Amino acid sequence: MASAMRGIAVLLALLAVAAAQRFSLNGQWTFRVGDNTSFLPAQVPSTVHTDLMKNGLLEDPYFGANLLDAYWIETKDITYNYSFILPDDALYSPNIFLVFEGLDTHCDVYYNNVKLFHANNMFRRWRVPAKSLSKNNTLEVRFLSSANYDVAQAQNLRLNQGFDLPANYSFTRKAAYQYGWDWGPRLLTVGIWKEVYLEYYSTIFLESFSVRNDEVTKQSATAKLNVTTDWRLSANYNYLLVVEAFDGNSTFSTNKSIIGPRVIQSLELVVANPRLWWTRDVGQPFMYNITIKLIRNSAILLNRTLSYGIRTVKVLQNTDKTGAEFTIELNGQRLFMRGGNYIPPDMFMSRALDNPKVYEDTISAAVFANFNMLRVWGGGQFDHDIFYDLCDRNGLLIWHDLMFACAMYPGSQDIYDNIRQEMIDNLLRLRHHPSIALWNGNNEVWIGWQEWGWKNNKTEAQKTLIEQWYH
């Protein structure tokens, strides 16, 4: 009887998680610095600096000469621990993954004392199968000093190739501004700086959901949206996939039958008399609600909505006898761009996320200054979602650098693969934002190589090697 009841409980638990669920691992962790045997409370997402401040062991480096008392942290290894009880629906789920939205930066992750993976990129999302689960579990993240890693890599390059790079920070995929800039201090953060959670499901998982529109202008009578979904489904089940666009008054809809187990399905949705997304100086930044529904036997198994602005952006670089233009065209209309350079809102990005007013004030200031574009600088971050959401709603276009700035970055297949996944993670997250007008490769890398003396004291063979990293 007990065995039968347990079987029923397992079945009910599996049925409850047909579609993906999340079990948050944010909250009260513990941490220690270096070889210290004492663990202190930490509030994840966080950085070691903010956790030390909350424990009264570090004064805010923003004030007075407190920065001088914070430099020692960058050479220390840091360990974070967490214990939790797994709910039954997750415990019995056939598909369960551990997800870190952001790890800063070099670390080994242990689950119930078993090493799961090594992370080495602050800008990436880490998602791995979580095995060896039990009711009671422990999670440990052992961070290694980025500063020490950078020095070791620089020494290896000098030993093996006979030259140095302009800046050691280029060895680590980490926000360059943390190493100190002409506008900010040197504060090399460490920690679980974004959300961490378990993601689990039994039969239905939406891998990705994207929307693109065909070319539109203000004269367009219709807009064609291409909505692409990538599913993991139980085999041999028939589902109805419904896609809807809602503008506040009218709903435009289409649907198609699909069958598992792996389905990548694109549907075309026609929107009549589209309300286009414009920058705030020439029109309204209108946003549609795009909803997908997965239905089986009249039951809605999954319902997901994202905000989407219908627009077309082109970068015009036409040439004539006097030179070349560089013009942004939005929905067929050329714009005169007015804007500024955007840097991260805090040295401690987890603290910025806890204070949305920081973002709201920044975007309000840009609007007050009559900006219609912000440039995300390559020495900063792929920012939190709130930044892009605010730009969408306020009609501000974004020129977005990739995260390379003022340095020569070493090249190897491991580094290329790491950066490629970094690009994939962030493009998947950000691709639906109408505010992002263009992606730019870097900030002042090639010009530094050509004009800032970085070639000095290098042999022709060394110059050729470095240039090969970029071709």
Side-chain angles (χ1 to χ4, degrees), residues 33-273:
V33 178
D35 296 328
N36 197 319
T37 57
S38 298
F39 278 83
L40 300 169
Q43 192 66 34
V44 169
S46 66
T47 73
V48 68
H49 294 79
T50 56
D51 288 327
L52 286 169
M53 282 188 270
K54 289 176 181 178
N55 282 277
L57 299 176
L58 181 71
E59 296 296 326
D60 193 328
Y62 276 24
F63 295 95
N66 294 340
L67 177 64
L68 301 176
D69 296 324
Y71 287 138
W72 62 272
I73 300 170
E74 69 179 53
T75 63
K76 300 295 183 182
D77 298 337
I78 312 292
T79 300
Y80 279 79
N81 277 337
Y82 187 65
S83 298
F84 63 96
I85 298 174
L86 200 64
D88 285 344
D89 59 348
L91 181 62
Y92 300 121
S93 176
N95 305 288
I96 186 164
F97 299 86
L98 175 63
V99 182
F100 287 89
E101 294 290 349
L103 288 167
D104 179 13
T105 296
H106 302 282
C107 63
D108 295 316
V109 176
Y110 290 80
Y111 198 88
N112 292 338
N113 298 315
V114 176
K115 182 178 176 180
L116 279 185
F117 66 96
H118 176 77
N120 60 353
N121 189 325
M122 182 184 190
F123 307 122
R124 281 181 57 178
R125 178 178 188 260
W126 303 89
R127 183 176 184 266
V128 296
K131 300 178 180 179
S132 303
L133 296 174
S134 61
K135 191 67 176 176
N136 297 285
N137 300 275
T138 60
L139 193 56
E140 183 171 84
V141 185
R142 303 174 186 173
F143 289 97
L144 305 175
S145 162
S146 292
N148 291 346
Y149 175 88
D150 298 336
V151 169
Q153 292 301 307
Q155 291 172 342
N156 288 339
L157 182 66
R158 188 181 305 121
L159 178 64
N160 294 323
Q161 302 296 341
F163 63 85
D164 295 320
L165 298 181
N168 283 351
Y169 62 74
S170 59
F171 291 105
T172 292
R173 293 307 298 148
K174 180 177 176 64
Y177 79 101
Q178 296 182 355
Y179 289 80
W181 225 263
D182 51 8
W183 53 263
R186 179 183 174 101
L187 285 166
L188 271 64
T189 60
V190 178
I192 304 166
W193 73 285
K194 287 187 173 182
E195 287 189 323
V196 53
Y197 53 89
L198 291 170
E199 185 173 60
Y200 55 97
Y201 67 98
S202 60
T203 61
I204 299 170
F205 183 70
L206 179 60
E207 186 77 30
S208 67
F209 168 20
S210 66
V211 185
R212 293 181 65 87
N213 59 265
D214 63 353
E215 185 171 342
V216 292
T217 69
K218 57 186 176 182
Q219 289 82 31
S220 297
T222 61
K224 294 179 181 179
L225 307 187
N226 184 275
V227 182
T228 301
T229 53
D230 185 355
W231 299 91
R232 305 291 186 275
L233 304 170
S234 293
N236 302 321
Y237 285 179
N238 289 300
Y239 301 89
L240 180 67
L241 175 60
V242 178
V243 178
E244 298 174 343
F246 181 62
D247 64 5
N249 294 306
S250 302
T251 299
F252 306 89
S253 179
T254 188
N255 64 78
K256 188 171 186 177
S257 296
I258 62 174
I259 188 170
R262 173 74 187 274
V263 183
I264 299 177
Q265 184 64 61
S266 294
L267 283 80
E268 184 179 277
L269 177 62
V270 178
V271 176
N273 302 312

Side-chain angles (χ1 to χ4, degrees), residues 283-300:
Q284 180 186 4
F286 189 82
M287 302 290 288
Y288 284 80
N289 285 334
I290 309 296
T291 300
I292 58 171
K293 299 176 183 178
L294 191 69
I295 300 172
R296 183 168 178 263
N297 296 331
S298 300
I300 298 176

Side-chain angles (χ1 to χ4, degrees), residues 325-378:
E325 66 174 333
F326 193 97
T327 304
I328 303 296
E329 182 185 271
L330 177 63
N331 303 328
Q333 180 172 331
R334 290 166 176 252
L335 301 181
F336 181 78
M337 306 314 302
R338 307 180 304 276
N341 194 59
Y342 175 81
I343 60 176
D346 203 316
M347 297 303 296
F348 312 120
M349 289 297 288
S350 57
R351 184 167 70 177
L353 186 61
D354 290 337
N355 185 16
K357 192 174 185 298
V358 171
Y359 288 96
E360 293 163 357
D361 289 349
T362 297
I363 300 305
S364 293
V367 169
F368 180 76
N370 289 318
F371 285 4
N372 58 8
M373 177 173 266
L374 289 172
R375 180 271 187 126
V376 175
W377 171 65

Side-chain angles (χ1 to χ4, degrees), residues 302-316:
L302 184 144
N303 188 322
R304 189 75 54 82
T305 298
L306 62 77
S307 295
Y308 181 78
I310 299 175
R311 60 95 175 111
T312 298
V313 173
K314 293 182 179 180
V315 179
L316 306 180

